Amino acid sequence: MPESPGVYRMLDEKGEALYVGKALNLKRRVTSYTQISRLPERLRRMVADTAAMEILTTHTEAEALLLEANLIKRLKPRYNILLRDDKSYPWLVLTARQEFPRLGKHRGAQEKANFYMGPFASTWAVKQTIQAVQRLFLLRTCADSVFANRTRPCLLYQIKRCSAPCVGRVSKDEYAALVSQATDFLRGKSGGVQKELAAAMQQAAENLEFERAASLRDRIRGLAHVQGNDVINPSSLGDADVIALHQQAGQACVQVFFIRGGRNNGNRSFFPSVAKDDSPETVLAAFVAQFYDDKPSPPQILLSHAPEEQALLEAALSLKAERRVHISVPQRGEKVGVVGHAITNAREALERRLAESTGQGKLLTGVAELFSLPETPRRIETYDNSHVMGTNAYGVMVVAGAEGPMKSAYRKFSIKSVITPGDDFAMMREVLRRRFGRALEEDPDRTRETWPDLVLIDGGAGQLSAAKAVMADLGLEDIPVVAIAKGANRDAGREWFYMEGRQPFQLPPRDAVLYFLQRLRDEAHRFAITTHRAARSKKISASELDEVPGIGAARKKALLLHFGSVRGVKGAGVKDLEAVAGINRTTARAIYAFFHPGVRLEG
């Protein structure tokens, strides 16, 4: 084992990661695991399960910390503190490529030329900011294709949320000034913007341009309103994240507030997987490293507790951000109040979760008693199908456990093998065969926690028979299967339950377990309908240009922006098509020939 910085992985007999750790001296760190008597019981079990170890050396301990965080998020080892954060975050974007930049919401990769602000905790938070910027600076939010084909101002211009650059109601220089003001405002320089607007209003009044002066006055009032309601502690916070931890009953909640430009971009609760004996310092150190693994860190991070190896954590984040990142635990002043507010939110969020988990546990116990399960189910999978006369058919699986819906485990199945359109039984057989057939391939010994303790089918006796036949073919007869149906009158609240070896039965109308099972069935139905509608909308919105050989997304976009519609492309001549950016003569002739198959081109 080398005496250098790096990352080590402890693996079980199947080669799956049990634990990922980092060290300044790999040999010294790994040797500590051989002193069994000094280890707590949890780590003794981990060492006992370890069959092999892999290492990867790095140049510095900071690089090792970044690599450790990346591997933990990717491998999800059993004995690490795990951050469950599988969602992307929305950003606000001001585009730079267009003559009149567009304001909008953005997810995914970012272009250097554009201006981005974020992240925001939710889509709602970014929408609120976009609306505020619209009211104050009148920037456009429409798509480029809509902008290029407007002939008169839209409703947003009428309600004073856009300056209508699409039809020349504002010059390029005037719009650029609005963009500059909006950028300064989003960066927290609203004081300068307010002075600039006040001077412009005074000048307009002196020039007897009273309508313009009134418009500027309304914008100044709106700016003051936004500052007074949305800014959190502007005197001490610019761009910062506030991260607070609360632990109770062996669980933890981390509350993150996103502050950008002195404005609150919303907050989000996280519930990392922790051990009962993990200290707040250990939990926060692991959380911060993993949280910023796939997102940029702000220059300032305020914490409720000092994390382990704080200096190393600062160095690693600064290395990744290529600028100084400062981590601190406020002890006095205004920042203490901001962190205290985050701690209160973390405590309340965890208390709500614990209360919900207690109620959920009682319901799962009731399910076990109702269906005579050997133990309280930890994972319930519910299945449903959706289609219209057999078209765009999809089957779905939704999952629930002790903490409620497990949305990251939801799955959708595009029906492929059903020959008879609308054959619901065949669809269910295909979905179950694909789901459990793949599960057996990946985990034949059924050691993972991805196997259900109960399968719930939306349907009656026929669907139950179809499902049981598939499970029998796969050798999974031990997994309980229950069908739930509304009955002949489709009367919600009087559902019938079907199980093998039992007569169909009902529950009392106001039974709590009945409500719980109804919610599972309704969630599967909602997910199936949503999936089917998305597929149908995608098919309906598919363009004829998608079928033209040699036309990809970029050329398709260029054609639609130039001609405004597929109809315009169809009616265009070869010369007109050649005038489009990215369309050469050969491609223009191919497009024309596709839409005019009977016409012979000269030359």
Side-chain angles (χ1 to χ4, degrees):
M1 190 70 64
E3 297 183 3
S4 60
V7 172
Y8 59 93
R9 279 180 282 178
M10 306 178 81
L11 310 175
D12 62 14
E13 293 180 349
K14 297 182 179 179
E16 295 183 357
L18 294 170
Y19 183 79
V20 174
K22 62 101 180 77
L24 177 62
N25 185 313
L26 281 168
K27 184 173 183 177
R28 187 182 307 160
R29 181 72 182 92
V30 173
T31 300
S32 67
Y33 290 109
T34 65
Q35 301 170 9
I36 301 297
S37 60
R38 299 184 180 182
L39 298 178
E41 180 60 29
R42 188 171 70 93
L43 294 188
R44 291 183 189 182
R45 293 199 305 269
M46 180 183 75
V47 173
D49 292 340
T50 300
M53 184 174 290
E54 292 181 353
I55 65 166
L56 184 61
T57 60
T58 58
H59 291 96
T60 65
E61 191 179 10
E63 291 178 355
L65 178 60
L66 294 174
L67 178 59
E68 176 198 40
N70 181 273
L71 290 174
I72 290 172
K73 289 196 72 172
R74 184 160 55 87
L75 301 177
K76 296 180 171 56
R78 189 190 317 166
Y79 289 94
N80 281 100
I81 294 173
L82 299 180
L83 167 60
R84 297 164 181 168
D85 180 25
D86 56 355
K87 296 181 179 179
S88 63
Y89 292 81
W91 290 66
L92 180 148
V93 61
L94 259 171
T95 59
R97 296 185 181 278
Q98 299 92 335
E99 187 176 18
F100 294 95
R102 181 180 64 85
L103 176 71
K105 178 169 66 72
H106 176 81
R107 291 181 191 264
Q110 299 181 359
E111 298 181 21
K112 289 186 178 180
N114 295 337
F115 170 79
Y116 296 92
M117 178 192 178
F120 287 79
S122 64
T123 301
W124 179 86
V126 72
K127 284 182 178 178
Q128 290 294 104
T129 302
I130 288 175
Q131 289 177 5
V133 174
Q134 278 184 288
R135 288 193 296 268
L136 296 173
F137 305 105
L138 311 178
L139 302 183
R140 75 177 184 96
T141 57
C142 57
D144 292 341
S145 57
V146 175
F147 178 84
N149 291 283
R150 293 295 306 183
T151 56
R152 59 181 181 178
C154 65
L155 180 63
L156 289 176
Y157 174 78
Q158 306 296 335
I159 62 176
K160 299 180 180 180
R161 288 197 181 181
C162 182
S163 53
C166 54
V167 291
R169 297 297 173 93
V170 61
S171 69
K172 182 179 178 180
D173 291 340
E174 290 172 333
Y175 192 85
L178 293 175
V179 171
S180 177
Q181 291 175 353
T183 304
D184 287 343
F185 168 73
L186 292 171
R187 285 175 172 160
K189 303 176 182 178
S190 54
V193 175
Q194 198 160 11
K195 290 179 182 179
E196 187 177 335
L197 292 176
M201 180 184 69
Q202 183 66 30
Q203 184 64 44
E206 292 176 359
N207 295 339
L208 304 182
E209 299 173 352
F210 298 118
E211 288 188 9
R212 174 173 167 74
S215 175
L216 290 167
R217 177 204 62 199
D218 293 341
R219 290 175 59 195
I220 292 171
R221 287 178 178 175
L223 183 59
H225 175 76
V226 169
Q227 288 175 315
N229 287 276
D230 292 337
V231 176
I232 285 187
N233 203 9
S235 61
S236 59
L237 287 181
D239 290 346
D241 284 347
V242 181
I243 303 177
L245 168 70
H246 180 74
Q247 291 176 280
Q248 183 178 335
Q251 297 191 43
C253 174
V254 179
Q255 191 79 199
V256 181
F257 279 78
F258 302 96
I259 311 298
R260 296 295 183 272
R263 289 172 48 83
N264 179 14
N265 282 1
N267 61 296
R268 179 171 287 185
S269 299
F270 299 89
F271 302 92
S273 173
V274 300
K276 291 184 178 180
D277 57 350
D278 284 330
S279 66
E281 295 78 11
T282 302
V283 174
L284 271 183
F287 177 89
V288 171
Q290 294 178 48
F291 184 70
Y292 293 111
D293 173 62
D294 57 357
K295 59 181 70 66
S297 55
Q300 186 176 190
I301 301 173
L302 306 182
L303 301 181
S304 59
H305 302 77
E308 289 182 346
E309 301 177 308
Q310 179 174 328
L312 174 62
L313 198 56
E314 279 188 338
L317 294 180
S318 299
L319 176 66
K320 185 173 183 293
E322 298 181 345
R323 55 172 167 73
R324 176 67 192 278
V325 176
H326 181 62
I327 297 175
S328 63
V329 181
Q331 301 298 321
R332 56 183 177 272
E334 296 174 318
K335 295 178 181 178
V336 173
V338 178
V339 174
H341 181 60
I343 293 174
T344 300
N345 277 266
R347 185 186 68 251
E348 293 175 349
L350 184 56
E351 289 174 348
R352 286 194 300 269
R353 186 180 181 89
L354 291 172
E356 291 169 359
S357 297
T358 301
Q360 186 83 355
K362 291 180 179 178
L363 291 171
L364 292 174
T365 300
V367 170
E369 294 173 354
L370 174 65
F371 298 131
S372 302
L373 304 181
E375 58 182 3
T376 301
R378 293 171 298 176
R379 179 183 174 107
I380 300 176
E381 295 182 358
T382 309
Y383 294 84
D384 193 14
N385 301 321
S386 182
H387 61 93
V388 173
M389 301 297 291
T391 62
N392 301 311
Y394 270 85
V396 300
M397 172 187 83
V398 303
V399 185
E403 298 178 353
M406 301 163 61
K407 294 197 174 182
S408 62
Y410 285 18
R411 294 292 181 268
K412 55 185 77 170
F413 303 85
S414 175
I415 304 299
K416 301 175 181 178
S417 63
V418 176
I419 298 175
T420 305
D423 188 343
D424 287 328
F425 298 155
M427 292 181 190
M428 185 60 67
R429 285 193 292 267
E430 178 182 334
V431 169
L432 294 177
R433 192 173 298 280
R434 286 167 60 183
R435 188 277 185 254
F436 290 104
R438 180 172 180 177
L440 283 171
E441 290 179 5
E442 296 177 349
D443 185 23
D445 296 330
R446 297 167 62 177
T447 57
R448 300 178 186 173
E449 296 181 355
T450 55
W451 290 88
D453 301 301
L454 174 66
V455 170
L456 195 63
I457 303 293
D458 183 19
Q463 288 284 28
L464 177 66
S465 298
K468 291 295 293 183
V470 172
M471 303 301 271
D473 288 344
L474 296 173
L476 301 174
E477 297 96 332
D478 59 317
I479 297 179
V481 180
V482 176
I484 175 173
K486 289 183 178 180
N489 296 324
R490 309 294 294 169
D491 185 10
R494 299 298 297 159
E495 278 82 359
W496 287 89
F497 293 92
Y498 298 83
M499 290 184 68
E500 190 175 49
R502 290 178 62 174
Q503 291 294 321
F505 61 93
Q506 293 177 296
L507 294 177
R510 286 180 290 275
D511 187 273
V513 174
L514 173 61
Y515 286 150
F516 174 64
L517 295 170
Q518 285 175 335
R519 288 199 301 272
L520 295 181
R521 187 268 318 278
D522 293 343
E523 172 66 0
H525 189 61
R526 179 204 64 79
F527 189 48
I529 290 292
T530 302
T531 302
H532 163 73
R533 286 176 177 169
R536 188 175 61 189
S537 298
K538 184 177 180 180
K539 185 174 181 179
I540 291 173
S541 62
S543 170
E544 290 181 78
L545 293 176
D546 296 330
E547 302 175 12
V548 181
I551 300 298
R555 285 175 170 173
K556 174 184 172 183
K557 182 178 180 180
L559 288 165
L560 291 175
L561 287 175
H562 187 88
F563 293 104
S565 66
V566 176
R567 179 180 295 180
V569 178
K570 286 182 177 181
V574 174
K575 292 292 184 183
D576 297 325
L577 293 169
E578 287 182 39
V580 180
I583 305 296
N584 55 30
R585 179 171 176 78
T586 302
T587 305
R589 291 171 65 88
I591 296 171
Y592 187 87
F594 179 84
F595 289 115
H596 305 83
V599 178
R600 185 173 180 179
L601 294 172
E602 298 294 332

